[in-house]
Amino acid sequence: MCRHEGGAAYMAEADGKMNQLPGIAMVTRGPGAANAHVGLHTAWQDSTPLVLFVGLIPFAHRGREAFQEFDIKSWFDTGAKRVMVLDAAERASEVVAEAMFSAMSGRPGPVVVGLPEDIIQEEIDATLHPVIPVAEGGMTVTDWKALKAALSEAEKPLFVVGGNDWTQQGATALTNWLEDHHIPAAAEWRCEGTIPFDSPSYVGPIGYGRPKPTYNLLEETDLLVFVGTVPGDVITDGYLARQDWSKKNFLVTIDPSLRGRSGPVSHQIVAKPDSFIRDLTLMNLPVRQEWKAWTERMRGEQEKFSTPPEATPSEGQARMDTLMANLVASLPEDAMVTLGAGEHTNWAHRYFPTQRYASMISARNGSMGYSVPSAIAASLAYPGRRVVTIAGDGEFLMNGQELATAAQYGATPLVVVMDNQEYGTIRSHQERHYPHRISGTQLKNPDFALMAQAFGGFGVRVEKDADVPGALEAALRDRRGQDVRPHPPRRGAARQGVLTFAPAAHTVARNGGLSRVPGPRTMLNPPVPRE
């Protein structure tokens, strides 16, 4: 039970990213369906399997503008793989089986199922429809020979991995094969972890905020192999990079339509990642010294980019660099990070040590409000793992009320809130394109630490850099169950943690003008279970 349908849809979408099975959300008609639409759009653009069940008015009331009536097909047809309505009670299991199949087959995505009120009240025999198997594809002999020939001719090959259709077994097998052959791999934006952060073959993320050497990879490589994703808008910097039709691009995706791709396609292999990797690992190629030198050069650039800054605090106000340096040093190997949208995500992209598949859960469609719901979903799915989310102040307030859900069900993520009292990404675009014409980006915020405590969690506000290590340790100690909070929850309650973290400065509107003032930052912790 979530506090808002948008939060519920985000949690289901995050669940679909983690588990290779559709996340499930159930909402009411009209307003509930409208609120869930944001999660549906995220699932559509991020290729995430999701099934949204929507309550509908009784059949007898259709077309009379009944209470909360809406046209489910008109609303969702353009943003879902399929929209279905249960029109006969005896078809209930069949419709569910079809919905699950549609969400997972081909390019994964969202499916909407309408449930009329009168139909779901009927009693039927509980006969279950068999699960419909999903085809995984694989390399044909022609595919295998074409890829082997392209790799044999390439001097600077590069793999790009992405999407949500992976398993840890497949990710590990690909990593081993790449390392054995000294071939580099980059990660699609907000898909880090498929190739481990510390792998000698991993050369960094390709997306917004990437360093220039990583961006240059797209033009420098003579063979690109995309696995689980395609060269879309973000990877190609607005369809500008990798547009030379003489370049070789191999696209490995189960989607035969190649929806969302940009630039040339030399060869498509219709396969899910695991099936492709199963066949790829049978391909033994001689180790090439030019591959080794190419991979080591780009790996060196990634290591320079991702090495955490000095952990010792500086004088003055709290800095995200200090927070990340201390956080990274405290993380276990299986730590997870979730992200919404905004410039605050750049620190996690750069420094968070993603070591396995699904250790970074984020919204690649740039949807704000995703951080807290996705962190709760991750914490509930993997209760033994350290889950961290980094949120902006505006982004946090879009679904921060889901801390109540965390408290109710025992989710325990650490939430870092960058409170600069503005929509930072939009502000940066305004500064770049319309200097000194700031409009609609300044925020008046509550005390996030007090919010965390009000929801029964741990909350601390950090304004000085010298206080960052102690505040982080207190938040992590609280999450481990040690009693450091001023207001312990009642017996059996869990605790989320919120650390409000202040950037060096932010700008607020004052009496029609602008003034530079210090900015707060916050950390939040969900409740820790108590005996």
Side-chain angles (χ1 to χ4, degrees):
M1 280 300 301
C2 301
R3 296 307 186 266
H4 189 272
E5 293 91 350
Y10 277 145
M11 289 187 204
E13 198 277 346
D15 205 55
K17 279 188 165 85
M18 292 184 285
N19 299 312
Q20 292 79 55
L21 290 170
I24 307 296
M26 293 185 174
V27 300
T28 189
R29 60 208 192 199
N35 287 339
H37 212 144
V38 64
L40 206 74
H41 181 263
T42 304
W44 175 266
Q45 287 221 316
D46 285 20
S47 302
T48 306
L50 171 72
V51 178
L52 178 69
F53 290 96
V54 182
L56 299 179
I57 63 169
F59 266 123
H61 296 177
R62 285 181 302 169
R64 302 166 67 182
E65 200 171 345
F67 181 62
Q68 298 185 345
E69 181 179 4
F70 74 104
D71 187 331
I72 190 171
K73 290 187 179 291
S74 295
W75 274 29
F76 293 118
D77 245 349
T78 59
K81 291 185 66 179
R82 192 170 178 185
V83 180
M84 310 166 69
V85 176
L86 179 62
D87 54 8
E90 61 272 14
R91 295 191 62 222
S93 184
E94 175 192 350
V95 166
V96 172
E98 288 283 354
M100 298 290 281
F101 170 75
S102 296
M104 292 187 290
S105 64
R107 173 175 162 172
V111 173
V112 180
V113 179
L115 304 175
E117 183 178 331
D118 49 350
I119 298 296
I120 61 173
Q121 292 177 353
E122 294 184 24
E123 293 186 5
I124 60 170
D125 292 334
T127 302
L128 293 182
H129 191 284
V131 172
I132 304 173
V134 175
E136 297 190 351
M139 278 202 274
T140 65
V141 173
T142 301
D143 295 333
W144 202 86
K145 290 181 177 179
L147 180 58
K148 185 175 183 179
L151 285 166
S152 299
E153 296 169 1
E155 296 182 358
K156 295 180 178 180
L158 173 67
F159 278 59
V160 177
V161 297
N164 311 311
D165 224 0
W166 294 76
T167 66
Q168 183 58 52
Q169 181 181 3
T172 299
L174 177 60
T175 299
N176 293 338
W177 188 87
L178 292 170
E179 290 177 356
D180 289 345
H181 291 86
H182 300 286
I183 295 175
E188 182 182 11
W189 187 55
R190 297 184 173 172
C191 281
E192 296 169 49
T194 304
I195 306 299
F197 190 83
D198 57 359
S199 167
S201 282
Y202 181 61
V203 297
I206 293 186
Y208 296 133
R210 60 192 165 195
K212 194 171 189 302
T214 308
Y215 175 78
N216 290 343
L217 279 174
L218 294 178
E219 300 300 344
E220 189 174 353
T221 177
D222 55 359
L223 173 63
L224 262 175
V225 182
F226 289 86
V227 184
T229 187
V230 295
D233 176 17
V234 177
I235 290 178
T236 61
D237 195 24
Y239 309 115
L240 296 176
R242 198 68 179 183
Q243 299 301 302
D244 184 347
W245 289 84
S246 66
K247 302 272 189 181
K248 287 187 177 180
N249 290 347
F250 275 60
L251 275 53
V252 181
T253 169
I254 195 65
D255 176 18
S257 73
L258 294 179
R259 180 164 57 87
R261 66 99 188 150
S262 168
V265 180
S266 306
H267 194 102
Q268 181 188 8
I269 297 173
V270 182
K272 288 180 177 287
D274 274 27
S275 298
F276 165 74
I277 294 161
R278 175 199 63 206
D279 300 335
L280 177 71
T281 53
L282 301 175
M283 189 181 296
N284 292 315
L285 300 168
V287 176
R288 305 258 294 274
Q289 288 304 309
E290 62 266 37
W291 288 1
K292 186 175 182 180
W294 155 246
T295 303
E296 288 177 349
R297 173 166 69 86
M298 295 314 305
R299 175 62 190 169
E301 295 286 353
Q302 165 62 9
E303 288 177 341
K304 287 190 294 184
F305 179 70
S306 62
T307 299
E310 178 60 47
T312 304
S314 61
E315 296 293 330
Q317 291 185 289
R319 301 171 63 246
M320 276 296 291
D321 281 355
T322 306
L323 181 279
M324 291 303 299
N326 283 272
L327 175 63
V328 167
S330 73
L331 293 173
E333 184 174 318
D334 64 350
M336 301 176 70
V337 64
T338 78
L339 304 170
E343 291 189 336
H344 57 274
T345 64
N346 290 336
W347 280 271
H349 283 301
R350 184 167 184 173
Y351 299 125
F352 200 93
T354 48
Q355 295 286 2
R356 59 180 66 185
Y357 173 67
S359 53
M360 178 178 285
I361 306 296
S362 187
R364 293 190 296 279
N365 71 332
S367 187
M368 295 177 69
Y370 188 85
S371 58
V372 173
S374 59
I376 293 170
S379 183
L380 292 176
Y382 300 103
R385 293 173 68 175
R386 174 76 50 78
V387 178
V388 179
T389 192
I390 298 178
D393 47 358
E395 201 262 345
F396 172 82
L397 281 174
M398 292 184 178
N399 274 307
Q401 75 279 355
E402 296 301 343
L403 289 179
T405 306
Q408 183 170 345
Y409 294 101
T412 59
L414 171 68
V415 184
V416 179
V417 181
M418 282 191 61
D419 179 10
N420 61 358
Q421 298 187 21
E422 66 184 7
Y423 290 121
T425 302
I426 303 170
R427 166 67 187 270
S428 68
H429 285 295
Q430 290 177 344
E431 292 279 16
R432 185 179 302 116
H433 300 292
Y434 307 100
H436 312 298
R437 293 174 59 189
I438 306 307
S439 173
T441 53
Q442 308 313 124
L443 304 173
K444 175 66 176 175
N445 290 330
D447 187 320
F448 293 108
L450 291 179
M451 280 187 65
Q453 295 172 26
F455 282 110
F458 170 89
V460 62
R461 179 182 178 91
V462 187
E463 297 192 7
K464 294 182 179 179
D465 208 41
D467 296 335
V468 169
L472 177 61
E473 172 57 25
L476 295 177
R477 190 165 66 245
D478 177 86
R479 188 184 179 282
R480 291 192 294 265
Q482 300 178 29
D483 194 7
V484 299
R485 52 200 175 279
H487 305 292
R490 60 186 183 274
R491 281 174 68 93
R495 281 174 68 89
Q496 71 275 356
V498 178
L499 175 60
T500 303
F501 199 69
H506 62 79
T507 305
V508 295
R510 292 283 180 82
N511 300 323
L514 294 175
S515 62
R516 299 292 292 179
V517 299
R521 299 180 182 176
T522 309
M523 287 185 189
L524 315 165
N525 260 8
V528 173
R530 284 288 189 272
E531 292 299 329

